[in-house]
Amino acid sequence: MSKSLPVVELPVLQDAAQCCPPITAGALPVADSERMAALFKALSDPVRLRLFSRIASHPGGEACVCDIQDVGVSQPTVSHHLKKLREAGLLTSQRRGTWVYYRVEPAALAGMSQLLAVPS
Amino acid sequence: MSKSLPVVELPVLQDAAQCCPPITAGALPVADSERMAALFKALSDPVRLRLFSRIASHPGGEACVCDIQDVGVSQPTVSHHLKKLREAGLLTSQRRGTWVYYRVEPAALAGMSQLLAVPS
């Protein structure tokens, strides 16, 4: 008999690239503000932001935790921050052998980028 | 005799437009991560994000608090959130007569926009 898995509530980010128009274009609806505020919250810690930048800028767009963990905090703290970034939908992860590999979720980055776009 | 005004410590944001290269271009240095994380923290609350979008999208780029305060929270809460946005360097304000008028600080928005830019 199959064991049922617990349902994990994650922000729906499939359409983050479509959400939202630039902040300068109109007032943000409530639902979008909740979704986007959660992404900014994940980036509101300097160590998390540095980890995110290390993954985003890693050759091939993917980083092993072993490549990025020298940010001056303990390994459990790195794991905690990576979990927060993953839970917010900013990163995806994959275990391969001994290591976990992280990638930036393109839709989440695109959504934030679009929201904060400066009118040209 | 003139009364001396208290010195308010605000983040130095004049060069926020120069800070930082896109997150996909390289690892973010510690000082920049602290500065930018503080901006994202200010946007990590849905009500603050909505207030920020209302000011950013207001005709003329400036909004009276009287134009933007119907966000479903009390007036003191609106004031508290606007203060947080101002302290983070995301808004500037000016009192004219009865009302306070808010503008987005262009360098702060440009800095975040540049940091989260998606490679084309």
Side-chain angles (χ1 to χ4, degrees), chain A residues 11 13 16 34-44 88-90 108 111-112:
Chain A
L13 276 166
E34 286 169 356
R35 184 157 41 144
M36 299 311 288
L39 298 186
F40 293 131
K41 188 165 194 174
L43 297 184
S44 71
L90 283 168
M112 293 187 294

Side-chain angles (χ1 to χ4, degrees), chain A residues 16-57:
Chain A
Q18 278 70 54
C19 168
C20 313
I23 215 160
T24 53
L28 201 60
V30 174
D32 292 340
S33 73
E34 286 169 356
R35 184 157 41 144
M36 299 311 288
L39 298 186
F40 293 131
K41 188 165 194 174
L43 297 184
S44 71
D45 178 279
V47 174
R48 277 208 292 277
L49 192 51
R50 283 168 64 213
L51 287 168
F52 188 65
S53 80
R54 285 179 171 221
I55 295 164
S57 62

Side-chain angles (χ1 to χ4, degrees), chain A:
Chain A
M1 217 157 68
S2 70
K3 218 170 95 184
S4 68
L5 290 169
V7 174
V8 181
E9 270 198 50
L10 285 180
V12 180
L13 276 166
Q14 297 93 294
D15 60 348
Q18 278 70 54
C19 168
C20 313
I23 215 160
T24 53
L28 201 60
V30 174
D32 292 340
S33 73
E34 286 169 356
R35 184 157 41 144
M36 299 311 288
L39 298 186
F40 293 131
K41 188 165 194 174
L43 297 184
S44 71
D45 178 279
V47 174
R48 277 208 292 277
L49 192 51
R50 283 168 64 213
L51 287 168
F52 188 65
S53 80
R54 285 179 171 221
I55 295 164
S57 62
H58 210 261
E62 183 180 69
C64 166
V65 68
C66 55
D67 292 326
I68 55 165
Q69 63 192 356
D70 56 331
V71 285
V73 296
S74 70
Q75 196 274 322
T77 303
V78 168
S79 296
H80 164 80
H81 284 312
L82 290 171
K83 187 169 173 242
K84 290 272 178 193
L85 288 166
R86 219 180 54 223
E87 285 175 349
L90 283 168
L91 296 180
T92 55
S93 67
Q94 195 181 35
R95 177 175 287 279
R96 292 204 296 275
T98 315
W99 296 106
V100 179
Y101 292 81
Y102 291 89
R103 279 186 177 275
V104 167
E105 171 53 51
L109 183 59
M112 293 187 294
S113 184
Q114 201 167 289
L115 185 70
L116 298 177
V118 174
S120 53

